[in-house]
Amino acid sequence: MAAAAPAPDLMGEIIEEILLRLPPSEPESLVRAALACKLWCRLISGARFRRRFREFHRTPPMLGFIRNHIEVGDGFTDFVARFVPTCSFRPPRPHAGHRGWRAVDARHGRVLLRSTSGSGPLGLVVWNPVTDERRQLPSMPYLNGNAAVLCAASGACDHFDCHDGPFLIVVLNNGFDQMTLQVYSSEVGAWNEMTYVTQFPNYYVDGGRSTIARNALYFVIDHGRRLLQYSLTTREISVILHPPVSYFCSTRVMTMEDGRLGVVRMEGHGFSLWSMEESPDGGTGWSQVRVIDLEKLLSVDAQSIFFEHGVGVIFVGTCDGIFCYDLKSGRVRKVCEEAWKYDIVPYMRFYTPAFGAALQVNDQE
């Protein structure tokens, strides 16, 4: 009879394998599982399970997005950055907005906010929506271009659980006759010396979020016709051409599912998706991957559309609300009833709560 003792350990391993396959885009399923019994709660709350869960699913889900909009009140008119959930996850202060702040970028569990009020030096804050922790950065003279937040470990990190580690802020600015690039390191606690991008005069830094592909950071410049590449290993700067594109075409860079650099751009009443390809001789070129006809997907006026990207998703903003298009499944869902008036920043991260956090999330459903 004593030989049957190891059975509970075996049962725990089987249960863990089942729980690993719960969808990361539905954190409430982990919450309900944690509340089922003490064994399941112990498994889900453990560091081993959280690590295996991230390794199993690889691509972090979208927990929501930060919507930048203007609020008008008694004696004030200012930007507000507000978190809009797309699943059961809620920040610790779900209804709190960041008045006087605008979301610029989000990556590796962090959100970069910039101040929109006051005439003094630029204020930048790195915000963690899961813990509500805010880290104020030393001020810099201005932000007249674009900025990115990213893990400082770069290619040495899988980015599954690095949201509390060191990070970098990369700022690409428009100057009087040349672009400038400056980097903040959380490990050093200071900005480095400004780099003058003198070899590319008169290029303009576009809006829209940057992206990371093959250990390089990319910004859209020159009215959507070129990309600036900043190597995260060598710190070298170079410029590459987009696929053939008309002047002032609305363009975004994105990371493809296999890690390559991609470009998505508005064309007529839809999008075209391009991927950078490497030839056997070491050269690079562009290949069109897909054309997405929005008139077949959405019953809205295509002329009113704006868009942004996340990992594997494209946000389509219209006068009828904000929609999310999944590039892998082709599914479209409405994620916000309010019309798109200003830019949004998707927030992608694994969320596997400990039991205490699970109770809190469950109460908010």
Side-chain angles (χ1 to χ4, degrees), residues 168-246:
L168 300 176
I169 305 294
V170 181
V171 174
L172 182 65
N173 268 326
N174 294 301
F176 293 107
D177 56 359
Q178 58 196 344
M179 294 181 296
T180 61
L181 189 141
Q182 200 166 7
V183 179
Y184 171 84
S185 167
S186 66
E187 293 177 290
V188 177
W191 295 91
N192 70 353
E193 291 294 325
M194 189 177 296
T195 301
Y196 291 89
V197 192
T198 55
Q199 64 268 45
F200 311 118
N202 303 319
Y203 283 178
Y204 181 80
V205 183
D206 292 17
R209 295 177 58 237
S210 59
T211 199
I212 296 176
R214 302 287 169 85
N215 216 27
L217 180 66
Y218 294 88
F219 293 94
V220 180
I221 62 172
D222 194 24
H223 304 288
R225 295 186 299 178
R226 289 175 172 84
L227 304 178
L228 183 137
Q229 180 190 68
Y230 175 66
S231 172
L232 299 175
T233 53
T234 66
R235 309 305 184 195
E236 294 179 347
I237 299 171
S238 56
V239 166
I240 60 178
L241 288 173
H242 267 183
V245 62
S246 60

Side-chain angles (χ1 to χ4, degrees), residues 25-101:
S25 59
E26 300 175 8
E28 70 274 16
S29 61
L30 286 173
V31 172
R32 295 191 182 99
L35 294 173
C37 66
K38 291 182 179 179
L39 171 61
W40 291 21
C41 178
R42 249 188 341 265
L43 287 172
I44 293 172
S45 300
R48 165 190 157 89
F49 176 84
R50 293 198 300 270
R51 183 68 188 178
R52 290 196 65 201
F53 189 78
R54 293 172 172 93
E55 291 174 346
F56 182 84
H57 293 282
R58 307 291 306 175
T59 303
M62 180 175 64
L63 300 183
F65 57 88
I66 297 87
R67 177 174 175 263
N68 294 314
H69 63 285
I70 287 180
E71 282 191 0
V72 179
D74 295 333
F76 74 87
T77 300
D78 210 343
F79 267 97
V80 175
R82 191 176 300 279
F83 189 93
V84 179
T86 55
C87 64
S88 63
F89 166 77
R90 299 294 186 274
R93 295 183 299 155
H95 303 296
H98 297 270
R99 179 172 290 120
W101 295 89

Side-chain angles (χ1 to χ4, degrees), residues 122 124 136-140 184 189-191:
L122 173 72
L124 288 175
Q136 182 81 44
L137 272 61
S139 59
M140 59 181 298
Y184 171 84
W191 295 91

